[in-house]
Amino acid sequence: MKNKKGKMFKKMNKNIFALILIGILIFISCSKENNYNYLPQQLGELSLGKVIQSKKATVIINKMHGKRLDDCINFIAIYGDNHSKNILYVSLYENAKKAETNLKNMALKMANGSSVFSPLLHSKMGDKVHFETEGMGLKHYFYRVDNVVIWWQVEPDKAKTTLSDLFKFDFVILNEKVNEK
């Protein structure tokens, strides 16, 4: 009888351990680190290949600019293979006003072009302004949706088809998912 109770206790402990392990795995899969599921999975013919997020993405973005930028949550999404130049940069700011200020500052600095970028073009879609420039053999588009700033760099031959999909994507969903965590 004692041996039966011991086996039952061990089996119950194994089941509890398995349930705890499953719970941890579910928690990890639902954590903030999986917000890339809320980025566009496909832009034109390009599939989402890799995502760099949070602190790693912020370090890369700050290095690109040669200075520390405002605090925000950053995502860098690479479309196509790992060596692709088709890259989506997404920054979530504390509020829409900070995002708008940063977008305007970026546009003002780039308005007349630079050694890297051509002068800015802009278009208006509804109440949103979209900016466009060229540089480093790529087309670059940037704009804001609520407190989310989006920058898309793409090979010129893929610009038209990917841009259409990008403008259709609701980035506010990403904002909501990050903020509810």
Side-chain angles (χ1 to χ4, degrees), residues 52-147:
I52 303 165
Q53 51 195 3
S54 301
K55 290 179 184 175
K56 286 182 183 180
T58 300
V59 167
I60 292 168
I61 291 170
N62 286 341
K63 196 176 229 181
M64 282 173 27
H65 288 91
K67 63 181 179 178
R68 188 178 186 282
L69 300 176
D70 286 346
D71 286 332
C72 57
I73 299 168
N74 293 297
F75 296 87
I76 301 172
I78 301 167
Y79 288 81
D81 62 34
N82 282 335
H83 304 291
S84 176
K85 295 178 182 177
N86 304 302
I87 302 174
L88 179 65
Y89 299 90
V90 179
S91 298
L92 281 70
Y93 289 86
E94 184 180 329
N95 57 53
K97 187 70 178 159
K98 279 189 177 185
E100 181 180 25
T101 299
N102 278 284
L103 182 72
K104 283 180 180 178
N105 289 339
M106 189 166 37
L108 286 171
K109 287 178 185 174
M110 298 179 67
N112 296 320
S114 69
S115 60
V116 179
F117 295 108
S118 66
L120 281 185
L121 301 173
H122 68 279
S123 60
K124 198 164 181 167
M125 294 176 81
D127 62 343
K128 305 287 185 225
V129 177
H130 296 88
F131 297 95
E132 178 182 341
T133 186
E134 292 184 29
M136 300 171 285
L138 302 167
K139 287 195 168 260
H140 302 263
Y141 303 91
F142 60 100
Y143 61 101
R144 177 184 69 87
V145 176
D146 193 36
N147 67 319

Side-chain angles (χ1 to χ4, degrees), residues 154-172:
V154 62
E155 296 166 294
D157 64 324
K158 295 172 178 66
K160 190 173 184 178
T161 57
T162 59
L163 198 57
S164 173
D165 289 345
L166 187 68
F167 287 156
K168 290 177 190 172
F169 190 79
D170 182 10
F171 283 95
V172 175

